Amino acid sequence: MRTATKMPKLTIAIDGPAGSGKSSLAKRVAQILGYLYLDSGAMYRALALKALREKIALDNFLTLDELARDTHIELKPPTPEQEAAGSKNCVFLDGKEVTQAIRTAEVAQAASRLATIAGVREILVAEQQRAGGGGGVVMEGRDIGTVVFPRAELKIFLEASPEVRAERRWKEHQEKGETMTLAQVLEEVRERDRRDRERKVSPLVRAADAVLVDNTAMDVEETARLVVMLAREREKELARTAGREA
């Protein structure tokens, strides 16, 4: 009697520019598949928060490298209350929870600058690889499929028009009570795009084997269903390969 082939657990890498909906998508896909979701951006935001609190200049690369080495960042599943409020992970910085504190425009801008520093990226990439090395993981960011998990079984590059991405970000600011105009947020999104694509260390590029998904006219549920379908197909493909090799 043949033993049924066990479905493999994938590593799913989702990359894309600011406001493309990577976090919401990754969280939903992880929920549907029963995978662990890891918010890579939260790690950079947590370090950025610490740098801002300690008043370290964001162009002081040596000090920021040292800060990254001496910082402990841990991601845990959110509480039901945090999840209802939109948090994807419960974030701890040196043992203290900073889940909400890292979700400000100032921290986001500082995080995108930290992400251009080679030493900082090297340290945080190693942490991300350690956290997601066992499979059954969905991780999103800007270089997950190219640098963090170049051998991920499924890679998605999520895209949307700058105007739609800016509107999504603007609504987030409105919900937090932050007074920014849509024009300001659009300019911020375009600046983030330029910085992410032009940075010398791990620029935002689509991996050669990534599936391009444009969700300009799609909501989170529609996008998640598409990605889950791709994941199921990949699981079956790998299971067939493993069955032939057994």
Side-chain angles (χ1 to χ4, degrees):
M1 186 172 126
R2 272 181 92 176
T3 306
T5 305
K6 186 179 179 182
M7 282 296 178
K9 291 285 190 180
L10 309 180
T11 295
I12 301 176
I14 301 176
D15 290 308
S20 57
K22 301 184 299 294
S23 296
S24 298
L25 174 63
K27 175 72 174 179
R28 186 68 185 118
V29 169
Q31 284 177 335
I32 296 171
L33 293 174
Y35 280 16
L36 175 66
Y37 166 75
L38 291 172
D39 179 4
S40 67
M43 300 179 81
Y44 287 95
R45 283 171 176 261
L47 186 63
L49 176 65
K50 187 173 181 178
L52 291 170
R53 285 177 172 177
E54 298 190 9
K55 295 182 169 49
I56 297 172
L58 298 178
D59 58 358
N60 189 338
F61 297 166
L62 286 176
T63 302
L64 290 168
D65 283 357
E66 291 172 8
L67 187 74
R69 286 193 198 91
D70 295 337
T71 299
H72 179 65
I73 301 166
E74 190 175 3
L75 304 181
K76 295 182 180 180
T79 64
E81 294 78 16
Q82 289 169 333
E83 194 165 15
S87 295
K88 312 302 189 299
N89 283 126
C90 188
V91 185
F92 289 85
L93 173 63
D94 296 327
K96 295 183 179 179
E97 190 186 338
V98 293
T99 307
Q100 289 303 118
I102 65 171
R103 297 295 168 186
T104 68
E106 182 186 20
V107 170
Q109 283 295 309
S112 74
R113 292 183 65 183
L114 287 184
T116 66
I117 302 171
V120 169
R121 291 200 70 85
E122 185 178 341
I123 294 162
L124 292 190
V125 163
E127 280 297 297
Q128 291 161 11
Q129 290 170 332
R130 179 192 58 74
V137 167
V138 183
M139 184 176 278
E140 54 80 18
R142 287 170 177 75
D143 63 352
I144 308 302
T146 53
V147 175
V148 182
F149 292 117
R151 295 184 180 179
E153 292 86 1
L154 178 60
K155 300 177 186 177
I156 303 294
F157 192 87
L158 192 64
E159 182 60 279
S161 71
E163 291 76 16
V164 166
R165 291 188 284 119
E167 187 173 355
R168 291 170 182 168
R169 278 294 172 94
W170 177 72
K171 286 178 180 175
E172 290 175 5
H173 289 308
Q174 293 289 104
E175 288 168 5
K176 294 174 187 173
E178 296 170 356
T179 54
M180 292 183 73
T181 66
L182 183 55
Q184 286 175 317
V185 179
L186 178 58
E187 180 57 32
E188 181 184 86
V189 163
R190 285 177 170 153
E191 172 59 22
R192 286 283 297 275
D193 285 354
R194 185 196 63 75
R195 189 184 301 150
D196 287 341
R197 294 181 191 280
E198 294 178 5
R199 69 190 186 199
K200 293 178 182 177
V201 182
S202 299
L204 174 65
V205 293
R206 176 186 169 192
D209 54 348
V211 178
L212 178 63
V213 175
D214 189 318
N215 71 346
T216 298
M218 297 166 66
D219 64 20
V220 173
E221 282 300 317
E222 290 173 308
T223 312
R225 282 198 297 270
L226 172 60
V227 173
V228 167
M229 181 189 72
L230 294 170
R232 296 296 190 202
E233 289 176 356
R234 189 72 176 117
E235 285 175 346
K236 289 174 185 175
E237 183 184 321
L238 291 173
R240 284 195 297 269
T241 302
R244 286 195 296 268
E245 294 174 352

